[in-house]
């Protein structure tokens, strides 16, 4: 079986990356196996659970559904790129203080989804938050504290400058 | 003037989980994230037949594929069985008994090569007649699944107290119903996996997600022919367990066989589809319940018979009668009780342990009957339950001693806060009537309670846990506990209990809990036991350290240690709070003394529970948990779609240690219980799973969750750590029962099977009136 590769370059967590990847590889596999960024999780591999959510040009995407070659020229943010110089981001801090993580496996995906919501519209309702994380499955928390955390982060971001794009 | 230090408590506070920072940054290392040098990929070939003799397996082509390091079949293994029935050899050599059966395994350099090699394994089968219903498997001439069990019955359970015939004679009303509970599965967000590695001396290190690291060593040793003392178990961060990792399943010994064959580290990691196909399920149960009541509302008897579909092999699902019979015998006062279970082999998937361990099934039946009996004698559901509820200091006929019991308080507060009685009556009025707006949507309210172990369960000779604790210079504490963190927050609770004794914040405490080479013995995380058992053990070790520190401080300060206290990292005078000495400085002075000492203590806590006798009687837990949930829902009688609007819950938790964690357990449990009732269904047809993906297996998502109004009943259990009881499983147990009672309240139609999917609800409403057949 011949493996056709393609060289791509993109921005990853603020730095330039240039890699050659098999054209059949998905972005999740590239991030985890090739670039060793294991914070993005494999939960189902078919876009149903949201554990692999990353930001592509600021918008939440299931990394398992995106071909790696389609990252060319784009700007990717993974959970490893969310922290600020001061430490945890507002969203990450809210997940800690609100008790939004239990086993933690879905947490990186939910934080990326929450960050995407925050980037898109700082003034969204609790119902919109629920709709926004509909594609992220969590088996531990029952979602209540996740919704609290995202609402808390949105609240504190309204009174502070935008920290991440 | 010296600062005066007030006593502060950590108990009852909203303390964020100690492991949260590494989980929110993606730094937590799960089994998927560990990389060992030279590690190979292990993959398993499964049978795809449900019942067949294996005539021949040819691995020649697979072995010849470049990049393949080993291809194993049963012939390469000792063939010793795993699991509660020891009937499940990791690789099957003679025949396969269910769809998931493991028949060969490959270790290769990459995933692609391993997949390719699996396809090159040639297997010749001879199909055998199969059986998929436990009732049919009991018939004469049914296919035999295991030759040593010609009747397909590996276990039966019988329990009784009193005399049900007498109970029935004393009854004014007797009812009997058949309940059918379905297959669901854990759906841990992190799929299953293991990494095995041998050193040159034959010592084995397994990175395992097990919930029971010490029992794991003992159980797996004969299966892999490695003595337990040569096995080290390291637990990575575990991406959900809920009971699924209580037993050892074939992929773990297979991973170890591959590591031994290749002399390389090997990782076996499931795909999501494999996770559905090859994980345990919740035990499906066919249950017949017969109950009686006097016209004054006093329960007279319960007689329960269940048929357990054991699937092809025996895991923990077969033992759920232990818990089911507790609820049948002792949820409310039952003077006469009889219980029987027949466990039956079929060619279906097999069940394991799953949060609640049979209690969701039992409570569904019992609490459905409580509502029906109340109605039959003209009492409201609350008054009827109150009349039959146990009180503190009662001993049930099964031998459970309720030193504390908050059942009545749980019933009162949930019904009061939800406005239960008024809504219950109002909904009944509108059951038959068309709604005012012409809409087909009706509202219902229903309640259910639960009884579960809250202080461990003595199913082994010990139900204990060990702790080693050291206090080092700079007053940093390391707690080394035998207990296992699976996301439930045990390490944070342990840190709070230790900090409380030593007057230190949780930031001064590190909890080590993941390596059997370091941690002391424990029975594992199950039976809602960790806060209670590991908490008491940690507290014991911390108290010993506290005594040691206060005696040393007393000597140094030349005062009576009884007059001293530890607060905020300082030794203080306990009456005035006057600060006398920094704790870190005291410890350093001990290290540098002529007779140098370290402050290191240990404690082993064994709860005062007993193993049940041969009649299943005895006080099996050191404490018991109670709870009540009231569910409010809407059902669209035109489509059968149910929306759960609100759950008002009260749990007797003994004492709240960490408010944030306990809320998380209850919210998560309620949603899991709701999923069991209305969404989740692992569809098994002719032994094959029809929906092994999140597309087709429906988990509850964020927009569907109800409001959860939580109340904590603090009964201050005398044996619990600072009065606490276990609450890990409890919140999931009675939600489904409360939902089915609410559905009855809305529609006047009673359902006896789950899940309450729109099709089943609609069929029930339209066709047979939904009443149990």
């Amino acid at each position: 079986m011949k493996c056709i590769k393609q060289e791509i370059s993109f921005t990853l967590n603020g730095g330039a990356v240039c890699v050659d990847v098999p054209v059949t590889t998905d972005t999740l596999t590239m991030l985890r196996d090739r670039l060793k960024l294991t914070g993005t999780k494999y939960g189902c591999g078919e876009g149903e659970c949201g554990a692999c959510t990353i930001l592509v040009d600021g918008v939440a995407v299931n990394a398992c559904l995106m071909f790696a070659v389609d990252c060319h020229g784009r700007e990717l943010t993974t959970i490893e790129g969310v922290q600020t110089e001061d430490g945890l981001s507002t969203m990450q801090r809210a997940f800690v203080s609100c008790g939004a993580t239990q086993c933690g496996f879905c947490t990186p995906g939910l934080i990326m989804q929450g960050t995407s919501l925050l980037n898109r519209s700082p003034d969204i309702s609790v119902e919109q938050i629920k709709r926004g994380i509909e594609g992220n499955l969590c088996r531990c928390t029952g979602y209540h504290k996740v919704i609290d955390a995202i609402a808390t982060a949105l609240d504190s971001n309204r009174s502070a400058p935008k920290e991440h794009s | 003037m010296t600062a005066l230090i007030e006593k502060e408590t950590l108990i009852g506070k909203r303390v964020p989980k100690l492991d949260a920072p590494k989980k929110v940054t993606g730094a937590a290392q799960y089994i998927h994230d560990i990389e060992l040098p030279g590690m190979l990929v292990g993959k398993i070939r499964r049978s795809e037949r449900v019942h067949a003799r294996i005539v021949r397996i040819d691995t020649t082509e697979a072995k010849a594929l470049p990049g393949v390091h080993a291809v194993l079949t049963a012939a390469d293994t000792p063939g010793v069985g795993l699991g509660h029935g020891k009937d499940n050899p990791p690789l099957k050599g003679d025949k396969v008994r269910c769809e998931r059966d493991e028949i060969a395994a490959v270790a290769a350099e990459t995933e692609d090569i391993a997949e390719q090699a699996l396809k090159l394994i040639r297997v010749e089968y001879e199909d055998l007649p199969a059986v998929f219903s436990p009732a049919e498997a009991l018939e004469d001439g049914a296919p035999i699944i295991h030759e040593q069990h010609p009747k397909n019955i590996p276990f039966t359970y019988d329990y009784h107290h009193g005399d049900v015939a007498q109970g029935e004679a004393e009854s004014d009303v007797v009812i009997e119903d058949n309940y059918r509970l379905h297959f669901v599965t854990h759906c841990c967000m992190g799929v299953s996996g293991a990494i095995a590695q041998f050193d040159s001396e034959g010592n084995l290190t397994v990175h395992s997600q097990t919930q029971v690291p010490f029992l794991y060593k003992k159980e797996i040793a004969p299966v892999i022919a490695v003595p337990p003392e040569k096995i080290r178990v390291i637990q990575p961060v575990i991406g959900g367990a809920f009971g699924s990792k209580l037993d050892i399943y074939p992929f773990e010994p297979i991973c170890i066989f591959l590591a031994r064959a290749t002399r390389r580290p090997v990782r076996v990691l499931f795909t999501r589809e494999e996770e559905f196909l090859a994980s345990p399920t919740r035990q499906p149960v066919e249950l017949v319940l017969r109950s009686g009541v006097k016209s004054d509302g006093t329960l007279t008897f319960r007689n329960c018979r269940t048929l357990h579909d054991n699937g092809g092999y025996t895991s923990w699902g077969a033992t759920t009668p232990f818990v089911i019979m507790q609820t049948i015998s002792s949820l409310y006062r039952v003077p006469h009780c009889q219980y029987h279970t027949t466990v039956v082999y079929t060619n279906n998937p097999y069940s394991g342990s799953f949060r609640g361990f049979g209690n969701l099934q039992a409570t569904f039946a019992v609490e459905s009957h409580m509502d029906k009996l109340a109605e039959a004698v003209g009492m409201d559901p609350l008054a009827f339950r109150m009349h039959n509820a146990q009180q503190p200091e009662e001993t049930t006929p099964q031998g459970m001693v309720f030193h504390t019991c908050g059942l009545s308080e749980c019933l009162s507060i949930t019904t009061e806060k939800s406005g239960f009685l008024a809504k219950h009556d109002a909904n009944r009025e509108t059951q038959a009537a068309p709604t005012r707006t012409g809409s087909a949507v009706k509202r219902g309210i229903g309640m259910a309670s639960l009884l579960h172990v809250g202080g461990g369960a003595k199913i082994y000779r010990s139900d204990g846990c060990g702790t080693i604790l050291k206090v080092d210079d700079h007053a940093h504490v390391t707690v080394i506990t035998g207990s296992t963190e699976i996301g439930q927050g045990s390490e944070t609770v342990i840190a709070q209990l230790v900090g409380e004794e030593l007057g230190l914040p949780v930031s001064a405490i590190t909890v080590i809990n993941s390596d059997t080479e370091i941690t002391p013995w424990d029975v594992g995380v199950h039976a809602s036991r960790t806060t209670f058992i590991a908490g008491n053990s940690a507290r014991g070790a911390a108290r010993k350290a506290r005594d040691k520190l206060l005696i040393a401080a007393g000597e140094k300060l030349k005062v009576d240690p009884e007059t001293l206290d530890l607060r905020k990292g300082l030794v203080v005078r306990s009456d005035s709070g006057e600060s006398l000495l920094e704790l870190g400085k005291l410890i350093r002075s001990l290290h540098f003394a002529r007779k140098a000492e370290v402050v290191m203590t240990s404690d082993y806590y064994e709860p005062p529970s007993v193993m049940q006798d041969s009649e299943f009687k005895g006080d099996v837990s050191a404490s018991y948990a109670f709870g009540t949930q009231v569910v409010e829902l809407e059902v669209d009688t035109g489509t059968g779609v149910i929306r759960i609007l609100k759950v008002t819950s009260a749990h007797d938790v003994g004492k709240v240690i960490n408010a944030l964690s306990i809320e998380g357990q209850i919210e998560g449990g309620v949603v899991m219980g709701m999923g069991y009732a209305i969404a989740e269904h692992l569809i098994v047809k002719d032994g094959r799973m029809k929906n092994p993906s999140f597309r087709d297996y429906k988990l509850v998502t964020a927009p569907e969750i109800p409001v959860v109004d939580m109340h904590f009943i603090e009964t201050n259990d005398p044996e619990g750590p600072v009065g606490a009881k276990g609450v890990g499983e409890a919140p999931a147990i009675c939600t489904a029962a409360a939902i089915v009672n609410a559905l009855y309240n809305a529609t006047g139609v009673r359902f006896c099977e789950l899940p309450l999917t729109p099709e089943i609800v609609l069929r029930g409403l339209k066709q047979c009136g939904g009443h149990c057949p």
Side-chain angles (χ1 to χ4, degrees):
Chain A
M1 195 166 59
K2 191 163 159 45
C3 174
I4 303 163
K5 289 191 174 182
Q6 189 172 326
E7 190 173 284
I8 55 169
S9 49
F10 55 95
T11 307
L12 177 60
N13 297 331
V17 174
C18 184
V19 284
D20 58 332
V21 289
V23 292
T24 52
T25 295
D26 59 75
T27 303
L28 175 63
T29 307
M30 174 182 73
L31 289 169
R32 288 185 55 86
D33 296 356
R34 181 69 187 277
L35 300 169
K36 306 294 176 196
L37 293 177
T38 56
T40 306
K41 299 302 180 199
Y42 164 87
C44 70
E46 49 189 27
E48 292 291 332
C49 78
C52 66
T53 307
I54 59 167
L55 301 187
V56 178
D57 298 332
V59 176
V61 166
N62 286 319
C64 71
L65 292 185
M66 184 177 176
F67 281 116
V69 290
D70 289 335
C71 294
H72 184 68
R74 317 287 284 272
E75 189 181 331
L76 271 64
T77 310
T78 68
I79 189 69
E80 290 87 352
V82 173
Q83 269 180 271
T84 66
E85 282 176 10
D86 305 329
L88 300 185
S89 72
T90 312
M91 189 64 67
Q92 288 173 313
R93 278 202 307 277
F95 267 68
V96 173
S97 64
C98 294
T101 179
Q102 287 188 30
C103 91
F105 200 84
C106 68
T107 303
L110 274 163
I111 287 176
M112 300 316 288
Q113 192 66 261
T115 306
S116 170
L117 289 172
L118 183 146
N119 287 348
R120 273 191 298 178
S121 46
D123 282 309
I124 58 173
S125 67
V126 166
E127 282 311 308
Q128 286 171 309
I129 293 173
K130 288 183 184 174
R131 282 287 166 204
I133 62 168
E134 189 172 15
N136 293 71
L137 297 177
C138 169
R139 193 52 154 162
C140 299
T141 64
Y143 306 102
H144 294 87
K145 301 222 176 304
V146 174
I147 296 160
D148 287 353
I150 295 172
T152 302
L154 287 168
D155 272 348
S156 49
N157 234 52
R158 272 183 214 119
S159 49
K162 199 172 171 185
E163 67 178 30
H164 183 80
S165 56
Chain B
M1 193 183 142
T2 342
L4 299 184
I5 310 298
E6 302 237 353
K7 195 167 182 70
E8 281 181 8
T9 183
L10 290 168
I11 304 304
K13 294 287 157 61
R14 305 178 75 78
V15 181
K17 277 165 68 52
L18 295 184
D19 58 5
K22 70 178 178 184
K23 287 178 170 171
V24 302
T25 51
Q29 291 235 307
Y30 299 83
I31 194 82
H32 322 53
D33 307 325
I34 297 166
E35 276 293 329
L36 298 180
M39 186 160 72
L40 298 172
V41 176
K43 286 264 169 204
I44 296 167
R45 170 75 184 255
R46 298 181 186 279
S47 109
E48 294 158 350
R49 306 288 177 109
V50 290
H51 199 196
R53 199 158 297 289
I54 300 170
V55 178
R56 193 174 300 110
I57 304 183
D58 183 356
T59 58
T60 324
E61 277 181 79
K63 280 178 175 157
L65 187 72
V68 169
H69 287 248
V71 182
L72 303 180
T73 64
D76 306 301
T77 70
V80 177
L82 278 166
H84 180 66
K86 306 274 179 264
D87 57 4
N88 190 0
L91 287 166
K92 282 67 174 170
D94 55 347
K95 70 171 193 172
V96 292
R97 296 172 181 86
C98 59
E99 185 188 21
R100 65 173 280 183
D101 269 11
E102 301 79 4
I103 51 171
V106 168
E109 280 174 18
T110 68
E111 189 145 345
D112 287 346
I113 297 170
E115 293 276 6
Q116 225 183 318
L118 287 186
K119 289 182 191 141
L120 295 174
I121 298 169
R122 312 283 173 214
V123 191
E124 197 183 315
Y125 298 100
E126 179 193 318
D127 279 320
L128 296 168
V131 62
F132 308 110
S133 114
E136 285 170 19
L138 289 175
E139 288 170 7
D140 286 341
I144 295 168
I145 315 297
H146 288 266
E147 306 306 323
Q148 64 273 38
H149 295 286
K151 291 184 182 305
N152 289 328
I153 303 174
F155 301 98
T156 58
Y157 293 82
D158 283 286
Y159 166 84
H160 84 281
H161 69 247
D163 174 1
V164 286
Q166 188 193 328
E168 187 146 351
E170 289 168 5
S171 303
D172 293 311
V173 177
V174 172
I175 56 171
E176 181 175 311
D177 290 296
N178 296 307
Y179 296 92
R180 295 174 72 89
L181 286 315
H182 59 314
F183 277 111
V184 296
T185 188
H186 304 71
C187 295
C188 300
M189 294 314 300
V191 291
S192 300
I195 298 172
Q197 182 175 28
F198 284 90
D199 71 8
S200 57
E201 314 295 306
N203 296 303
L204 167 66
T205 300
V206 197
H207 296 260
S208 169
Q209 301 164 308
T210 178
Q211 294 177 230
V212 289
F214 291 92
L215 299 178
Y216 178 99
K217 295 193 340 174
K218 179 173 170 285
E219 295 284 318
I220 206 167
V223 177
I224 56 173
V226 175
E229 63 272 22
K230 289 175 86 78
I231 303 171
R232 174 184 190 180
V233 181
I234 297 176
Q235 295 157 288
V237 179
I238 296 172
F242 314 108
S244 63
K245 293 153 177 78
L246 194 59
D247 210 345
I248 303 171
Y249 294 101
F251 75 92
E252 298 215 36
I254 288 172
C255 183
I256 293 164
F257 294 143
L258 290 170
R260 183 154 53 195
T262 58
R263 285 188 240 126
R264 296 262 290 261
V266 174
R267 169 164 50 209
V268 170
L269 193 63
F270 283 4
T271 62
R272 177 55 63 183
E273 186 182 11
E274 212 173 6
E275 182 76 10
F276 273 101
L277 290 170
S279 294
T281 64
R282 190 183 286 288
Q283 179 66 51
V285 177
E286 293 175 29
L287 188 153
V288 184
L289 182 63
R290 190 173 172 84
S291 311
V293 66
K294 291 182 190 172
S295 54
D296 70 353
T298 306
L299 286 174
T300 47
F301 78 96
R302 278 190 201 134
N303 193 344
C304 177
R305 296 179 68 79
T306 86
L307 212 48
H308 274 43
D309 182 347
N310 202 43
Y313 302 93
T314 306
S315 178
W316 285 112
T319 70
T320 49
F322 281 111
V323 174
I324 296 177
M325 71 172 74
Q326 282 176 4
T327 287
I328 303 293
S329 82
S330 302
L331 175 57
Y332 309 104
R333 288 188 194 124
V334 185
H336 305 282
C337 177
Q338 190 155 323
Y339 176 89
H340 173 83
T341 288
T342 306
V343 179
V344 189
Y345 281 125
T346 65
N347 295 109
N348 282 331
Y350 49 98
S351 301
S353 130
F354 192 172
R355 191 181 198 176
F357 208 91
N359 210 347
L360 283 74
Q361 298 91 316
T363 302
F364 182 76
V366 164
E367 284 289 356
S368 294
H369 260 203
M370 290 301 284
D371 259 25
K372 280 184 85 168
L373 291 169
E375 192 174 353
V377 295
M379 286 174 84
D380 73 61
L382 171 63
F384 180 62
R385 285 174 172 85
M386 281 293 203
H387 181 69
N388 290 288
Q390 278 102 350
Q391 301 302 326
E393 296 301 347
E394 260 187 69
T395 301
T396 82
Q398 207 188 343
M400 293 178 254
V401 184
F402 299 156
H403 294 293
T404 56
C405 172
L407 179 55
S408 297
E409 291 91 326
C410 290
L411 286 163
S412 301
I413 197 161
T414 47
T415 47
E416 184 198 319
K417 295 288 177 186
S418 61
F420 176 85
L421 288 174
K423 287 179 183 168
H424 192 261
D425 285 351
N427 293 335
R428 278 168 65 155
E429 305 278 310
T430 59
Q431 272 175 5
T435 48
R436 192 161 32 86
T437 55
S439 132
V441 175
K442 291 185 189 288
R443 282 208 169 202
I445 190 165
M447 67 188 301
S449 297
L450 73 99
L451 156 69
H452 203 67
V453 294
K458 198 159 280 182
I459 51 172
Y460 306 100
R461 281 200 307 276
S462 167
D463 190 29
C465 176
T467 304
I468 301 166
L469 182 149
K470 75 181 173 97
V471 192
D472 248 320
D473 54 350
H474 314 294
H476 188 84
V477 178
T478 306
V479 186
I480 306 168
T481 171
S483 67
T484 293
E485 169 75 45
I486 49 172
Q488 84 281 39
S490 62
E491 62 185 26
T492 310
V493 162
I494 286 170
Q496 283 178 264
L497 291 167
V498 167
E500 185 73 5
E501 293 298 324
L502 299 177
L504 290 169
V506 291
S507 59
I509 298 162
T510 302
V511 180
I512 307 284
N513 55 3
S514 56
D515 186 345
T516 57
E517 291 289 83
I518 297 164
T519 55
W521 198 79
D522 174 58
V523 186
V525 50
H526 57 88
S528 303
R529 67 187 287 280
T530 303
T531 291
F532 196 98
I533 308 284
N536 269 332
S537 174
R539 213 163 158 246
R543 283 183 161 178
K544 289 176 189 170
R546 175 190 163 86
D547 289 347
K548 210 166 172 175
L549 289 165
L550 289 181
I551 288 167
E555 279 174 17
K556 197 171 169 66
L557 298 165
K558 302 201 171 23
V559 296
D560 179 0
E562 295 284 319
T563 66
L564 299 175
D565 195 10
L566 299 175
R567 293 177 197 171
K568 289 189 176 174
L570 300 163
V571 180
V572 304
R573 212 180 283 284
S574 44
D575 53 1
S576 65
E578 184 192 343
S579 166
L580 301 173
L581 182 60
E582 270 180 48
L583 188 59
K585 205 168 172 182
L586 171 66
I587 293 157
R588 288 196 293 279
S589 77
L590 292 174
H591 291 171
F592 294 125
R594 199 127 55 97
K595 267 181 66 188
E597 268 206 86
V598 292
V599 181
M600 183 142 173
T601 61
S602 70
D603 191 77
Y604 188 81
Y605 174 74
E606 181 67 51
S609 46
V610 296
M611 288 183 85
Q612 289 175 336
D613 61 20
S614 58
E615 295 181 335
F616 299 109
K617 289 178 181 163
D619 192 19
V620 74
S621 182
S623 178
Y624 296 88
F626 302 88
T628 302
Q629 291 176 359
V630 170
V631 165
E632 292 170 68
L633 56 73
E634 268 180 7
V635 55
D636 186 327
T637 55
T639 62
V641 172
I642 294 172
R643 275 182 62 213
I644 311 294
L645 305 174
K646 185 175 179 188
V647 178
T648 307
S649 81
H651 288 269
D652 172 3
V653 300
K655 174 88 182 166
V656 175
I657 297 177
N658 186 334
L660 204 55
S661 286
I662 206 163
E663 288 169 11
Q665 287 298 306
I666 288 169
E667 290 162 345
V670 163
V671 170
M672 190 176 266
M674 167 187 162
Y676 182 61
I678 68 168
E680 296 177 41
H681 190 192
L682 197 59
I683 301 165
V684 179
K685 197 158 187 311
D686 294 340
R688 294 178 189 280
M689 269 181 211
K690 294 297 179 189
N691 56 340
S693 78
F694 285 138
R695 238 189 344 269
D696 302 321
Y697 183 100
K698 180 76 179 67
L699 288 179
V700 174
T701 60
E704 298 155 310
I705 61 169
V707 172
V708 180
D709 178 23
M710 285 172 279
H711 303 274
F712 301 112
I713 306 301
E714 296 195 317
T715 49
N716 287 303
D717 194 88
E719 185 63 26
V722 300
K725 301 179 179 186
V727 71
E729 295 170 277
I733 288 171
C734 63
T735 315
I739 287 173
V740 82
N741 285 342
L743 187 58
Y744 176 75
N745 181 239
T747 62
V749 178
R750 189 158 279 286
F751 290 82
C752 294
E753 65 179 294
L754 294 179
L756 299 166
T757 54
E759 303 91 293
I760 289 177
V761 171
L762 205 55
R763 200 186 316 135
L765 295 180
K766 295 252 155 86
Q767 288 178 359
C768 58
H771 289 274
C772 297

